[in-house]
Amino acid sequence: MNVRRLIPTTAVAGAVVLGLTALSACSTSDAADGGNGDQLKVTASFYPMQFLAERIGGEHVAVTSLTKPGVEPHDLELTPRQIGSISESDYVLYLKGIQPAVDDAIQQSGVENTVDAATLTTLENHGAEVSGHDHGHEGEEEHGHEGEEAHEEHSEGDGHNHGEEGGADPHIWLDPVKYAEVAKGVGKSLEKADPDHAADYRKNTEALVGELDKLNTAYEAGLKNTATKTFITTHSAFGYLAERYGLTQQGIAGIDPEAEPTPARIQELHTIAEKEKATTVFFETLASDRTAKTLAKDTGLKTDVLDPLEGITKKSQGADYIEVMESNLTALQKALGAK
């Protein structure tokens, strides 16, 4: 695991005290920032949670994201003011295992309506290689076993152990089916937190789940017949997506998108690319493309963007989650030789 991404709990605890102190001095301006006492004050940890809160909450919520556009979520350091504002929230939506600093701050915030998206679906273990070749799309119980041998094979040094115990992979939002499960749970929790607007939350949830169902159908159809099933990525964030659509993700060096691959891993990927007819090394928008370009040069492959959707910026291939996922599908179809 990348040590620079961990923020000591003691530091967070100290910041909580500072944050609460600062909050008492600036609570009036914070309330003004929200701008409306009638709306539910929602804090979201990073973009995938912000998108759900905004789409499901609609006009009844004022959503603040702790992770600003362009900031790599794993690198997030909270300011005392941010930590204080968490405690002032009516509702907090986060995903445990992505941002240790956020996890600690939320745990100490005392907010009653706190929802961990990881509890709304099932998490699985994914290593640098994840294969979904042999499973169908019938149910969540059948997920997560095909890649276990690969996970053991690449577990040393792949860095992909920042989630729950046992190295559970938190990137559930990149599977539209799992993301829809989370959306349903968020909708129910908002109904409970704000029963006066329950009907609207229910309606918005149904609309969003419908969009995610269409996205899933597009992925199933678009990736059904391809020349290869293997793609290489600098950021091993696409394990759930690979499993869902029968693909194989080959991560360069695990969870850290800027990690340097070992010479042995580069040679291994060269062999895999030749054997599996992989064409492309994917990199992401919020991290350097240097590693991807180096590997591509060494192996004679192309490079392209596959966005893990941890944040939306001007460089993103779309204005929101749905649009960027559609762009990702296009990129995968091109790289995999969709027929």
Side-chain angles (χ1 to χ4, degrees):
M1 169 147 198
N2 192 344
V3 176
R4 69 189 170 87
R5 291 185 165 170
L6 287 174
I7 299 170
T9 304
T10 51
V12 173
V16 168
V17 176
L18 289 171
L20 293 174
T21 304
L23 192 66
S24 62
C26 62
S27 57
T28 304
S29 61
D30 274 350
D33 289 344
N36 28 63
D38 293 337
Q39 288 180 309
L40 205 67
K41 187 173 182 181
V42 175
T43 296
S45 56
F46 72 131
Y47 178 71
M49 302 299 103
Q50 176 190 347
F51 178 76
L52 290 179
E54 289 175 344
R55 287 295 302 272
I56 296 171
E59 65 183 6
H60 303 304
V61 300
V63 182
T64 300
S65 177
L66 294 173
T67 310
K68 302 305 178 188
V71 174
E72 220 285 335
H74 304 277
D75 293 335
L76 181 67
E77 295 186 36
L78 296 176
T79 65
R81 185 184 178 95
Q82 282 181 305
I83 293 171
S85 71
I86 293 173
S87 301
E88 287 290 292
S89 302
D90 299 313
Y91 179 99
V92 177
L93 179 60
Y94 74 116
L95 178 57
K96 190 173 182 181
I98 283 281
Q99 300 165 292
V102 172
D103 296 349
D104 290 336
I106 288 173
Q107 187 177 1
Q108 298 178 52
S109 70
V111 176
E112 180 182 353
N113 296 302
T114 298
V115 178
D116 173 10
T119 65
L120 303 177
T121 185
T122 52
L123 269 64
E124 296 145 19
N125 295 338
H126 294 138
E129 175 189 337
V130 177
S131 173
H133 277 242
D134 301 322
H135 85 81
H137 310 290
E138 290 80 28
E140 297 303 324
E141 284 17 340
E142 296 179 19
H143 265 71
H145 304 295
E146 294 78 19
E148 285 181 0
E149 289 181 11
H151 172 69
E152 291 171 10
E153 180 181 344
H154 294 299
S155 61
E156 285 187 30
D158 70 11
H160 205 273
N161 60 352
H162 70 306
E164 299 289 322
E165 332 41 68
D169 179 357
H171 296 88
I172 48 179
W173 67 92
L174 290 165
D175 174 354
V177 177
K178 284 189 174 293
Y179 199 45
E181 290 178 0
V182 174
K184 291 175 185 176
V186 170
K188 288 178 182 176
S189 66
L190 280 171
E191 288 178 39
K192 183 179 178 182
D194 183 18
D196 289 348
H197 301 112
D200 287 344
Y201 295 140
R202 202 171 304 123
K203 179 182 175 182
N204 293 344
T205 300
E206 288 173 1
L208 178 57
V209 168
E211 287 186 59
L212 294 173
D213 287 346
K214 286 182 181 177
L215 187 65
N216 174 50
T217 300
Y219 264 78
E220 281 188 333
L223 299 173
K224 189 173 184 179
N225 297 307
T226 56
T228 179
K229 296 293 183 184
T230 300
F231 64 97
I232 300 170
T233 174
T234 56
H235 188 177
S236 298
F238 302 92
Y240 292 107
L241 186 150
E243 283 190 307
R244 176 67 58 191
Y245 305 111
L247 307 178
T248 298
Q249 167 188 255
Q250 290 286 352
I252 292 178
I255 196 62
D256 184 351
E258 297 183 13
E260 294 288 344
T262 63
R265 183 60 176 156
I266 289 177
Q267 183 55 48
E268 186 178 21
L269 288 170
H270 187 104
T271 303
I272 289 168
E274 287 186 347
K275 181 182 176 184
E276 302 296 336
K277 297 182 173 59
T279 66
T280 306
V281 180
F282 286 113
F283 61 94
E284 60 170 288
T285 51
L286 294 184
S288 169
D289 61 359
R290 184 166 51 88
T291 301
K293 287 184 174 178
T294 299
L295 178 64
K297 184 178 179 181
D298 290 343
T299 55
L301 302 177
K302 302 171 187 174
T303 58
D304 201 356
V305 172
L306 194 62
D307 196 330
L309 265 158
E310 294 179 342
I312 295 286
T313 69
K314 292 179 180 179
K315 293 182 180 179
S316 299
Q317 304 295 308
D320 64 13
Y321 172 87
I322 300 292
E323 289 186 6
V324 175
M325 282 293 284
E326 289 171 344
S327 296
N328 279 349
L329 174 55
T330 300
L332 281 168
Q333 287 177 302
K334 181 181 177 182
L336 300 174
K339 299 169 185 176

